[in-house]
């Protein structure tokens, strides 16, 4: 039976279990393997904020969703085809995300009385036997027992044996989708091989046992084949958003001829940027784990004053702490890259869940008139291109710049046709040089209204800068009313002028004009794209424009908005971009908001567009 | 980054800017500015390699008056800004100008972390035991019961002992001087500059508008000798108008003695490398007006050689380059696992 493989275009698998079950590892291993088979893919890790929530409870469920296929993939999938659950809580939490007649692969050991009760099932309730799963294709296996049996001969303790049960499931799913085990075996070898050979052997044995179980047991009749996607020819790698961000910063520094200083403080979901950067000291990257968020940004400002590229990253509440220093950076007119990996708010909010509710904070959230350019990435790999561009603007326009990512992009992964170093545009810092017989004026500007960057250590460029209002040109402290008006206007004009140095807004998908324009920004890209492409295929006159530049906007944006009867703005917030668009362009843009800590599905967007279409 | 040496030697005048100095007439800051300007030409650092970073407060206007590189940053954060600058540009001579409110209140966190990391910088902490720029509220160093605009009934805050805090943060150079002793102050500034690591100088500064005379006991000729001890390396702790008093160490307990009873040889001999003694010396802090106890020490309390953060960070970077080669951007972009689609 296992020889007949049914060919499918794309599949969504949701792995779920207790947060100690190794679900994230299972999911990322499966992703890496799928990527190497040439599938397009998108992933969505979803885990609790607590390191270890009570075992077996719904609060402690960790999930990893992957959508992979032989066609283009833009989202991790609205609903899953296959739900793999290690315990009752994982089923309870995720059954509503399984397609009708989808498959449930279930570890029966996780459905004993205790697990059922911890998951919140009533005394006599058991989803395996009470009909809950009748309409699904149910595969039961005692993963715990099978894993223990497989490791009977080893000297490992029970706890250690049980720890490898995720490998059994992974092996089984590899069998289902006709994948080789090489990638994961290599991974296990490099992770444990030297340090703990016995653990490595155990994990590999269990992985193989899971595969063999698929082959020999007749519990599951279907085996699937997902062919490689018809992606653009080229060389690809897998990349996660935070990783792409860190690589982008290093690449931008290189192409600008600047060393990088990263000052930051650990915070979910931004920390991986610090982790990634700290591995690359040999690229001239200095990382500084500061005592707090404020020291993180202030140290980056100090580094920029010294002629390095100052970078800081955080998430919403940490960005709030950095706000005063952002105002200083605006006054100093030094390059500074500020990365906000947004998460659910306000306050500590939902640290591990995604949201895009810091747009107002980025665009307006400072005291005084303090304009800062804002850019947002749309997919995990796009974090690279967007942070690169954000850095270019910071350096070439002598300003702090916000780069917005979010939890969904940060931890999500996708294949990336990475560029070569030569493909990347050069970045040109404007360092000041002393001119014989001419006094250096720190706030003298060029045609872009940009001042020169004079760094300590160069004779005859000695100067003082600070947070007090500057006199035009000299930079001396000035309380003159007209000067303050002039400097306020100039700082705004400098940021507005950046619009002359960025591309015009393009229509990313669908029709160039028509009835509805879906205008998005950030990580809603995949869901909007999927929805719009499907709508267009169904005959709707719909277009999709996705903003990378949120301040200033591309120069042609008003014209783009005018080409459609309606503008719909879906956002994972309570309506932030929509307010700015209405304010700047006086158009009756419609808001579509979702603040649930989870991304939009393509279906939600489709329905909303269809609703507006007929209005 | 440094260009060729200055052909003509630097003078104090070269360090003055064209800006009017706008402290209140009679402010102690004038003296500190003057001592810094007169010391800097002699410390062997080119003007373009000097950077003054300040926070907020009266003292923090200082960089505007020094014709070098400078940044007037934000409240309490000069230490954090200086950390980033020094980490990236270890060759610069970085001076942090701060006050008691700036560094011990809003900036307390950054101060202790800079000290423990031991960045090679010099901190001049102007302590006037009051908030001057915000017009006279009590500060973290104001004495208990201080009546100010924000504490009309007297403050109920226990004050910080700045140098004890500094010792607690494992600073490697701990000193105290005062605005009204220019010779002493210049000496301490020079020593701080010579020290490799974070130098903390607490400078008693008189705010003649909001807290006039706070340190008069230690600066006035009539009371000074009885109430201060000038710390000198290898010398016994002797004080008093007639230099007739001293400190002995009775086990772990310092005691004031009369030289009529104890010979100078048996007194506590100052040794700035002795951490335990320094911990005791910074505790000579009770208010002599109230308790009439130990005289207040001035000078270098403690000094230690310890690796600096800026060196360690940059050595680590160089070692990584040595080991893995200077990063190849294409290798980074490629990562470890790639596949080809034809």
């Amino acid at each position: 039976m296992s020889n007949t493989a049914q060919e499918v275009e794309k599949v969504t698998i949701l792995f779920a279990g207790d947060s100690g079950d190794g679900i994230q590892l299972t999911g990322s291993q499966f992703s890496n393997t799928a990527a190497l088979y040439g599938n397009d893919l998108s992933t969505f890790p979803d885990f609790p904020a607590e390191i270890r929530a009570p075992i077996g409870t719904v609060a402690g469920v960790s999930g990893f969703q992957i959508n992979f296929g032989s066609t283009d993939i833009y989202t991790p999938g609205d609903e899953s085809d296959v739900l793999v659950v290690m315990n009752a809580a994982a089923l309870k939490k995720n059954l509503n995300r399984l397609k009708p007649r989808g498959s449930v692969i279930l570890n029966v050991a996780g459905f004993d009385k205790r697990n059922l009760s911890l998951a919140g099932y009533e005394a006599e309730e058991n989803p395996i036997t009470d009909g809950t799963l009748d309409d699904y294709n149910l595969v039961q296996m005692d993963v715990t027992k099978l894993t223990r049996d497989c490791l009977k001969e080893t000297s490992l303790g029970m706890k250690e044996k049980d720890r490898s049960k995720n490998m059994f499931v992974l092996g089984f799913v590899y069998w289902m989708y006709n994948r080789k085990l090489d990638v994961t075996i290599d991974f296990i070898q490099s992770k444990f091989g030297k340090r703990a050979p016995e653990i490595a052997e155990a994990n590999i044995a269990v992985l193989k046992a899971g595969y063999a179980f698929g082959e020999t047991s007749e519990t599951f009749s279907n085996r699937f084949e997902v062919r490689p996607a018809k992606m653009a020819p080229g060389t690809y790698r897998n990349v996660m958003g935070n990783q792409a961000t860190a690589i982008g910063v290093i690449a931008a520094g290189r192409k600008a001829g600047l060393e990088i200083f990263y000052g930051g403080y650990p915070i979910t979901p931004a920390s991986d940027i610090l982790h990634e950067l700290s591995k690359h000291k040999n690229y001239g990257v200095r990382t500084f784990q500061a005592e707090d968020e404020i020291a993180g940004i202030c140290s980056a400002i100090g580094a920029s004053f010294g002629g390095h590229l100052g970078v800081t990253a955080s998430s919403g509440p940490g960005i709030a702490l950095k706000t005063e220093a952002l105002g200083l950076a605006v006054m100093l007119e030094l390059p500074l890259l500020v990365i906000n990996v947004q998460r659910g708010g306000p306050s500590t909010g939902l640290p591990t869940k995604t949201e895009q509710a810091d747009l107002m904070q980025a665009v307006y959230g400072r005291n005084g008139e303090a304009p800062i350019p804002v850019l947002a990435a749309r997919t995990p790999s796009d974090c690279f291109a967007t942070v690169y561009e954000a850095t270019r603007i910071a350096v070439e326009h002598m300003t702090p710049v916000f780069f917005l990512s979010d939890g969904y992009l940060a931890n999500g992964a996708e294949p990336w046709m990475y560029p070569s170093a030569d493909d990347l545009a050069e970045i040109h810092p404007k360092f000041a040089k002393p001119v014989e017989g001419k006094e250096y004026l720190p706030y003298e500007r060029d045609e872009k209204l940009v001042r020169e960057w004079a760094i300590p250590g160069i004779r005859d460029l000695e100067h003082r800068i600070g947070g007090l209002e500057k006199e035009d040109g000299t930079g001396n402290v000035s309380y003159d009313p007209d000067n303050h008006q002039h400097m306020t206007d100039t700082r705004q004009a400098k940021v507005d002028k950046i619009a002359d140095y960025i591309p015009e807004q393009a229509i990313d998908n669908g029709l160039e004009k028509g009835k509805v324009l879906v205008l998005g920004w950030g990580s809603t890209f995949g869901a909007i794209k999927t929805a719009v492409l499907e709508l267009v295929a169904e005959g709707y006159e719909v277009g999709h424009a996705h903003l990378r530049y949120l301040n200033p906007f591309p120069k042609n944006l008003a014209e783009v908005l005018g080409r459609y009867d309606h503008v719909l703005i879906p956002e994972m917030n309570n309506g932030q971009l929509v307010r700015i668009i209405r304010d700047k362009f006086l158009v009756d843009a419609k808001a579509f908001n979702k603040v649930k800590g989870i991304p939009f599905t393509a279906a939600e967007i489709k329905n909303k567009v269809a609703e507006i279409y007929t209005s | 980054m440094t260009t060729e040496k200055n052909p003509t030697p630097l003078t104090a005048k070269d360090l003055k800017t064209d800006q009017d100095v706008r402290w209140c007439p009679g402010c102690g800051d004038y003296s500190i500015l003057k001592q810094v300007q007169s010391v800097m030409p002699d410390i062997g650092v080119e003007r373009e390699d000097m950077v003054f970073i300040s926070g907020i407060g009266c003292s923090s206007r200082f960089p505007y008056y020094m014709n070098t590189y400078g940044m007037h940053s934000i409240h309490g954060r000069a230490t954090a800004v200086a950390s980033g600058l020094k980490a990236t540009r270890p060759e610069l001579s970085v001076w942090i100008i701060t006050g008691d409110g700036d560094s011990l209140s809003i900036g307390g966190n950054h101060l202790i972390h800079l000290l423990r990391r031991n960045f090679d910088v010099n901190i001049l902490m102007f302590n006037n035991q009051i908030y001057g720029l915000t017009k006279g509220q009590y500060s973290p160093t104001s004495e208990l019961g201080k009546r100010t605009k924000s504490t009309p009934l007297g403050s109920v805050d226990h004050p910080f002992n700045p140098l004890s805090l500094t010792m607690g943060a494992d600073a490697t150079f701990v000193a105290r001087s005062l605005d009204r002793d220019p010779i002493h102050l210049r000496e301490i500034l020079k020593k701080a500059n010579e020290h490799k690591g974070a130098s903390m100088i607490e400078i008693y500064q008189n705010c003649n508008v909001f807290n006039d005379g706070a340190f008069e006991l230690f600066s006035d000729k009539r009371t000074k000798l009885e109430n201060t001890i000038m710390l000198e390396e290898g010398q016994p702790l002797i004080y008093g108008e007639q230099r007739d008093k001293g400190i002995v160490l009775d086990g772990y307990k310092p005691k004031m003695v009369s030289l009529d009873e104890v010979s100078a040889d048996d007194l506590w001999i100052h040794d700035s490398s002795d951490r335990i003694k320094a911990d005791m010396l910074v505790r000579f802090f009770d208010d002599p007006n109230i308790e009439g106890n130990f005289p207040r020490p001035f000078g270098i309390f403690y000094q230690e050689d310890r690796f600096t953060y800026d060196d360690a960070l940059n050595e680590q970077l160089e070692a990584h380059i040595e080991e893995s080669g200077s990063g190849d951007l294409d290798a980074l972009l490629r990562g470890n696992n790639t596949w080809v689609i034809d």
Side-chain angles (χ1 to χ4, degrees), chain A residues 234 236 254 283 286 291 421 457-459 464, chain B residues 4 48 68-69 117 314 327-328 330 339:
Chain A
Y236 287 78
R254 242 331 138 77
Y283 286 80
R286 287 166 182 79
E291 57 272 20
I458 300 180
R459 179 169 308 157
R464 276 69 51 199
Chain B
E4 77 284 358
E48 62 270 21
T68 62
Y69 284 93
R117 290 184 179 118
N314 286 287
D328 170 37
D330 279 310
W339 68 94

PDB file of all heavy atoms in Angstrom, chain A residues 234 236 254 283 286 291 421 457-459 464, chain B residues 4 48 68-69 117 314 327-328 330 339:
ATOM      1  N   GLY A 234      17.623  29.310  -9.768  1.00  0.00           N
ATOM      2  CA  GLY A 234      18.630  29.989  -8.959  1.00  0.00           C
ATOM      3  C   GLY A 234      19.018  29.134  -7.778  1.00  0.00           C
ATOM      4  O   GLY A 234      18.537  28.006  -7.622  1.00  0.00           O
ATOM      5  N   TYR A 236      19.048  28.635  -3.771  1.00  0.00           N
ATOM      6  CA  TYR A 236      18.208  29.038  -2.644  1.00  0.00           C
ATOM      7  C   TYR A 236      18.789  28.565  -1.320  1.00  0.00           C
ATOM      8  O   TYR A 236      19.570  27.616  -1.258  1.00  0.00           O
ATOM      9  CB  TYR A 236      16.813  28.420  -2.776  1.00  0.00           C
ATOM     10  CG  TYR A 236      15.943  29.032  -3.851  1.00  0.00           C
ATOM     11  CD1 TYR A 236      16.128  28.702  -5.183  1.00  0.00           C
ATOM     12  CD2 TYR A 236      14.936  29.927  -3.507  1.00  0.00           C
ATOM     13  CE1 TYR A 236      15.324  29.257  -6.168  1.00  0.00           C
ATOM     14  CE2 TYR A 236      14.128  30.483  -4.483  1.00  0.00           C
ATOM     15  CZ  TYR A 236      14.317  30.148  -5.818  1.00  0.00           C
ATOM     16  OH  TYR A 236      13.518  30.694  -6.770  1.00  0.00           O
ATOM     17  N   ARG A 254      28.811  46.364   5.476  1.00  0.00           N
ATOM     18  CA  ARG A 254      29.902  46.069   4.565  1.00  0.00           C
ATOM     19  C   ARG A 254      29.888  46.996   3.346  1.00  0.00           C
ATOM     20  O   ARG A 254      30.901  47.577   2.963  1.00  0.00           O
ATOM     21  CB  ARG A 254      29.723  44.648   4.054  1.00  0.00           C
ATOM     22  CG  ARG A 254      30.745  43.584   4.330  1.00  0.00           C
ATOM     23  CD  ARG A 254      32.138  43.987   4.512  1.00  0.00           C
ATOM     24  NE  ARG A 254      32.747  43.254   5.603  1.00  0.00           N
ATOM     25  CZ  ARG A 254      33.161  41.990   5.508  1.00  0.00           C
ATOM     26  NH1 ARG A 254      33.087  41.338   4.381  1.00  0.00           N
ATOM     27  NH2 ARG A 254      33.690  41.401   6.555  1.00  0.00           N
ATOM     28  N   TYR A 283      32.997  39.851  11.161  1.00  0.00           N
ATOM     29  CA  TYR A 283      32.526  40.765  10.119  1.00  0.00           C
ATOM     30  C   TYR A 283      32.597  42.214  10.617  1.00  0.00           C
ATOM     31  O   TYR A 283      31.949  43.105  10.070  1.00  0.00           O
ATOM     32  CB  TYR A 283      31.088  40.437   9.711  1.00  0.00           C
ATOM     33  CG  TYR A 283      30.974  39.183   8.876  1.00  0.00           C
ATOM     34  CD1 TYR A 283      30.993  37.929   9.479  1.00  0.00           C
ATOM     35  CD2 TYR A 283      30.858  39.248   7.493  1.00  0.00           C
ATOM     36  CE1 TYR A 283      30.905  36.770   8.717  1.00  0.00           C
ATOM     37  CE2 TYR A 283      30.765  38.098   6.726  1.00  0.00           C
ATOM     38  CZ  TYR A 283      30.798  36.864   7.337  1.00  0.00           C
ATOM     39  OH  TYR A 283      30.700  35.721   6.580  1.00  0.00           O
ATOM     40  N   ARG A 286      30.314  44.551  16.504  1.00  0.00           N
ATOM     41  CA  ARG A 286      30.445  44.579  17.958  1.00  0.00           C
ATOM     42  C   ARG A 286      29.054  44.518  18.553  1.00  0.00           C
ATOM     43  O   ARG A 286      28.219  45.363  18.217  1.00  0.00           O
ATOM     44  CB  ARG A 286      31.155  45.848  18.423  1.00  0.00           C
ATOM     45  CG  ARG A 286      32.645  45.855  18.121  1.00  0.00           C
ATOM     46  CD  ARG A 286      33.236  47.249  18.279  1.00  0.00           C
ATOM     47  NE  ARG A 286      34.645  47.258  17.938  1.00  0.00           N
ATOM     48  CZ  ARG A 286      35.125  47.285  16.698  1.00  0.00           C
ATOM     49  NH1 ARG A 286      34.294  47.304  15.673  1.00  0.00           N
ATOM     50  NH2 ARG A 286      36.423  47.279  16.475  1.00  0.00           N
ATOM     51  N   GLU A 291      22.628  47.082  29.828  1.00  0.00           N
ATOM     52  CA  GLU A 291      21.923  46.853  31.084  1.00  0.00           C
ATOM     53  C   GLU A 291      20.432  47.094  30.949  1.00  0.00           C
ATOM     54  O   GLU A 291      19.658  46.634  31.774  1.00  0.00           O
ATOM     55  CB  GLU A 291      22.516  47.714  32.205  1.00  0.00           C
ATOM     56  CG  GLU A 291      22.533  49.222  31.944  1.00  0.00           C
ATOM     57  CD  GLU A 291      23.788  49.682  31.205  1.00  0.00           C
ATOM     58  OE1 GLU A 291      24.454  48.843  30.572  1.00  0.00           O
ATOM     59  OE2 GLU A 291      24.097  50.886  31.264  1.00  0.00           O
ATOM     60  N   ALA A 421      27.144  39.239  -2.967  1.00  0.00           N
ATOM     61  CA  ALA A 421      27.607  40.519  -2.427  1.00  0.00           C
ATOM     62  C   ALA A 421      27.693  41.573  -3.534  1.00  0.00           C
ATOM     63  O   ALA A 421      27.358  42.738  -3.322  1.00  0.00           O
ATOM     64  CB  ALA A 421      28.960  40.336  -1.747  1.00  0.00           C
ATOM     65  N   GLY A 457      38.389  62.457  16.367  1.00  0.00           N
ATOM     66  CA  GLY A 457      39.686  61.959  15.952  1.00  0.00           C
ATOM     67  C   GLY A 457      40.205  62.702  14.734  1.00  0.00           C
ATOM     68  O   GLY A 457      41.349  62.506  14.342  1.00  0.00           O
ATOM     69  N   ILE A 458      39.361  63.538  14.133  1.00  0.00           N
ATOM     70  CA  ILE A 458      39.813  64.286  12.956  1.00  0.00           C
ATOM     71  C   ILE A 458      40.009  65.752  13.339  1.00  0.00           C
ATOM     72  O   ILE A 458      39.079  66.400  13.842  1.00  0.00           O
ATOM     73  CB  ILE A 458      38.809  64.166  11.795  1.00  0.00           C
ATOM     74  CG1 ILE A 458      38.664  62.689  11.403  1.00  0.00           C
ATOM     75  CG2 ILE A 458      39.271  65.009  10.605  1.00  0.00           C
ATOM     76  CD1 ILE A 458      37.705  62.436  10.286  1.00  0.00           C
ATOM     77  N   ARG A 459      41.220  66.233  13.100  1.00  0.00           N
ATOM     78  CA  ARG A 459      41.544  67.609  13.471  1.00  0.00           C
ATOM     79  C   ARG A 459      40.728  68.608  12.665  1.00  0.00           C
ATOM     80  O   ARG A 459      40.454  68.408  11.496  1.00  0.00           O
ATOM     81  CB  ARG A 459      43.034  67.878  13.265  1.00  0.00           C
ATOM     82  CG  ARG A 459      43.403  69.310  13.628  1.00  0.00           C
ATOM     83  CD  ARG A 459      44.878  69.503  13.683  1.00  0.00           C
ATOM     84  NE  ARG A 459      45.473  68.483  14.537  1.00  0.00           N
ATOM     85  CZ  ARG A 459      46.733  68.109  14.441  1.00  0.00           C
ATOM     86  NH1 ARG A 459      47.504  68.650  13.530  1.00  0.00           N
ATOM     87  NH2 ARG A 459      47.211  67.195  15.246  1.00  0.00           N
ATOM     88  N   ARG A 464      30.438  70.312  18.937  1.00  0.00           N
ATOM     89  CA  ARG A 464      29.591  69.826  20.011  1.00  0.00           C
ATOM     90  C   ARG A 464      28.166  69.683  19.493  1.00  0.00           C
ATOM     91  O   ARG A 464      27.651  70.607  18.839  1.00  0.00           O
ATOM     92  CB  ARG A 464      29.563  70.811  21.204  1.00  0.00           C
ATOM     93  CG  ARG A 464      30.701  70.685  22.182  1.00  0.00           C
ATOM     94  CD  ARG A 464      32.050  71.101  21.695  1.00  0.00           C
ATOM     95  NE  ARG A 464      32.092  72.416  21.088  1.00  0.00           N
ATOM     96  CZ  ARG A 464      33.069  72.835  20.283  1.00  0.00           C
ATOM     97  NH1 ARG A 464      34.090  72.044  19.987  1.00  0.00           N
ATOM     98  NH2 ARG A 464      33.027  74.048  19.763  1.00  0.00           N
TER      99      ARG A 464
ATOM    100  N   GLU B   4      48.460  64.084  11.663  1.00  0.00           N
ATOM    101  CA  GLU B   4      49.787  64.382  12.234  1.00  0.00           C
ATOM    102  C   GLU B   4      49.661  65.237  13.505  1.00  0.00           C
ATOM    103  O   GLU B   4      48.650  65.887  13.754  1.00  0.00           O
ATOM    104  CB  GLU B   4      50.686  65.071  11.189  1.00  0.00           C
ATOM    105  CG  GLU B   4      50.412  66.550  10.930  1.00  0.00           C
ATOM    106  CD  GLU B   4      49.175  66.784  10.068  1.00  0.00           C
ATOM    107  OE1 GLU B   4      48.551  65.776   9.640  1.00  0.00           O
ATOM    108  OE2 GLU B   4      48.812  67.929   9.841  1.00  0.00           O
ATOM    109  N   GLU B  48      41.788  66.695  19.087  1.00  0.00           N
ATOM    110  CA  GLU B  48      40.765  66.011  18.284  1.00  0.00           C
ATOM    111  C   GLU B  48      40.456  64.602  18.794  1.00  0.00           C
ATOM    112  O   GLU B  48      39.496  63.983  18.360  1.00  0.00           O
ATOM    113  CB  GLU B  48      41.186  65.961  16.807  1.00  0.00           C
ATOM    114  CG  GLU B  48      42.465  65.180  16.513  1.00  0.00           C
ATOM    115  CD  GLU B  48      43.711  66.067  16.573  1.00  0.00           C
ATOM    116  OE1 GLU B  48      43.651  67.149  17.206  1.00  0.00           O
ATOM    117  OE2 GLU B  48      44.746  65.668  15.996  1.00  0.00           O
ATOM    118  N   THR B  68      36.566  70.786  21.937  1.00  0.00           N
ATOM    119  CA  THR B  68      36.960  69.432  21.525  1.00  0.00           C
ATOM    120  C   THR B  68      35.707  68.812  20.924  1.00  0.00           C
ATOM    121  O   THR B  68      34.751  69.515  20.646  1.00  0.00           O
ATOM    122  CB  THR B  68      37.395  68.584  22.740  1.00  0.00           C
ATOM    123  OG1 THR B  68      36.278  68.460  23.620  1.00  0.00           O
ATOM    124  CG2 THR B  68      38.555  69.212  23.476  1.00  0.00           C
ATOM    125  N   TYR B  69      35.704  67.492  20.751  1.00  0.00           N
ATOM    126  CA  TYR B  69      34.459  66.832  20.375  1.00  0.00           C
ATOM    127  C   TYR B  69      33.599  66.684  21.622  1.00  0.00           C
ATOM    128  O   TYR B  69      34.121  66.443  22.725  1.00  0.00           O
ATOM    129  CB  TYR B  69      34.747  65.463  19.771  1.00  0.00           C
ATOM    130  CG  TYR B  69      35.257  65.558  18.346  1.00  0.00           C
ATOM    131  CD1 TYR B  69      36.624  65.602  18.076  1.00  0.00           C
ATOM    132  CD2 TYR B  69      34.369  65.637  17.281  1.00  0.00           C
ATOM    133  CE1 TYR B  69      37.090  65.699  16.773  1.00  0.00           C
ATOM    134  CE2 TYR B  69      34.827  65.742  15.976  1.00  0.00           C
ATOM    135  CZ  TYR B  69      36.179  65.773  15.716  1.00  0.00           C
ATOM    136  OH  TYR B  69      36.627  65.884  14.439  1.00  0.00           O
ATOM    137  N   ARG B 117      31.948  47.210  34.203  1.00  0.00           N
ATOM    138  CA  ARG B 117      32.564  46.796  32.934  1.00  0.00           C
ATOM    139  C   ARG B 117      33.960  47.382  32.798  1.00  0.00           C
ATOM    140  O   ARG B 117      34.779  46.900  32.034  1.00  0.00           O
ATOM    141  CB  ARG B 117      31.714  47.262  31.759  1.00  0.00           C
ATOM    142  CG  ARG B 117      30.402  46.520  31.641  1.00  0.00           C
ATOM    143  CD  ARG B 117      29.633  46.953  30.412  1.00  0.00           C
ATOM    144  NE  ARG B 117      28.387  46.214  30.297  1.00  0.00           N
ATOM    145  CZ  ARG B 117      27.171  46.757  30.325  1.00  0.00           C
ATOM    146  NH1 ARG B 117      27.032  48.059  30.441  1.00  0.00           N
ATOM    147  NH2 ARG B 117      26.105  46.006  30.236  1.00  0.00           N
ATOM    148  N   ASN B 314      37.359  44.456  21.838  1.00  0.00           N
ATOM    149  CA  ASN B 314      38.095  44.566  20.577  1.00  0.00           C
ATOM    150  C   ASN B 314      39.100  43.433  20.395  1.00  0.00           C
ATOM    151  O   ASN B 314      39.328  42.984  19.277  1.00  0.00           O
ATOM    152  CB  ASN B 314      38.738  45.946  20.470  1.00  0.00           C
ATOM    153  CG  ASN B 314      37.682  47.002  20.166  1.00  0.00           C
ATOM    154  OD1 ASN B 314      37.182  47.079  19.058  1.00  0.00           O
ATOM    155  ND2 ASN B 314      37.295  47.776  21.169  1.00  0.00           N
ATOM    156  N   GLY B 327      35.306  38.189   7.823  1.00  0.00           N
ATOM    157  CA  GLY B 327      34.067  37.645   7.276  1.00  0.00           C
ATOM    158  C   GLY B 327      33.905  37.832   5.780  1.00  0.00           C
ATOM    159  O   GLY B 327      34.100  38.919   5.253  1.00  0.00           O
ATOM    160  N   ASP B 328      33.533  36.747   5.100  1.00  0.00           N
ATOM    161  CA  ASP B 328      33.274  36.803   3.672  1.00  0.00           C
ATOM    162  C   ASP B 328      31.775  36.968   3.487  1.00  0.00           C
ATOM    163  O   ASP B 328      30.984  36.097   3.866  1.00  0.00           O
ATOM    164  CB  ASP B 328      33.776  35.511   3.014  1.00  0.00           C
ATOM    165  CG  ASP B 328      33.311  35.408   1.569  1.00  0.00           C
ATOM    166  OD1 ASP B 328      33.268  36.456   0.895  1.00  0.00           O
ATOM    167  OD2 ASP B 328      32.978  34.297   1.125  1.00  0.00           O
ATOM    168  N   ASP B 330      29.772  36.870   0.963  1.00  0.00           N
ATOM    169  CA  ASP B 330      29.067  35.849   0.174  1.00  0.00           C
ATOM    170  C   ASP B 330      28.809  34.584   0.982  1.00  0.00           C
ATOM    171  O   ASP B 330      27.754  33.975   0.854  1.00  0.00           O
ATOM    172  CB  ASP B 330      29.837  35.544  -1.109  1.00  0.00           C
ATOM    173  CG  ASP B 330      29.553  36.584  -2.180  1.00  0.00           C
ATOM    174  OD1 ASP B 330      28.364  36.850  -2.431  1.00  0.00           O
ATOM    175  OD2 ASP B 330      30.507  37.153  -2.747  1.00  0.00           O
ATOM    176  N   TRP B 339      20.234  24.926  -2.117  1.00  0.00           N
ATOM    177  CA  TRP B 339      19.830  24.014  -3.170  1.00  0.00           C
ATOM    178  C   TRP B 339      19.594  24.823  -4.445  1.00  0.00           C
ATOM    179  O   TRP B 339      19.376  26.027  -4.384  1.00  0.00           O
ATOM    180  CB  TRP B 339      18.596  23.209  -2.773  1.00  0.00           C
ATOM    181  CG  TRP B 339      17.339  24.002  -2.639  1.00  0.00           C
ATOM    182  CD1 TRP B 339      16.391  24.199  -3.590  1.00  0.00           C
ATOM    183  CD2 TRP B 339      16.883  24.705  -1.474  1.00  0.00           C
ATOM    184  NE1 TRP B 339      15.372  24.971  -3.095  1.00  0.00           N
ATOM    185  CE2 TRP B 339      15.648  25.290  -1.801  1.00  0.00           C
ATOM    186  CE3 TRP B 339      17.396  24.878  -0.181  1.00  0.00           C
ATOM    187  CZ2 TRP B 339      14.913  26.055  -0.899  1.00  0.00           C
ATOM    188  CZ3 TRP B 339      16.667  25.651   0.728  1.00  0.00           C
ATOM    189  CH2 TRP B 339      15.441  26.220   0.362  1.00  0.00           C
TER     190      TRP B 339
END
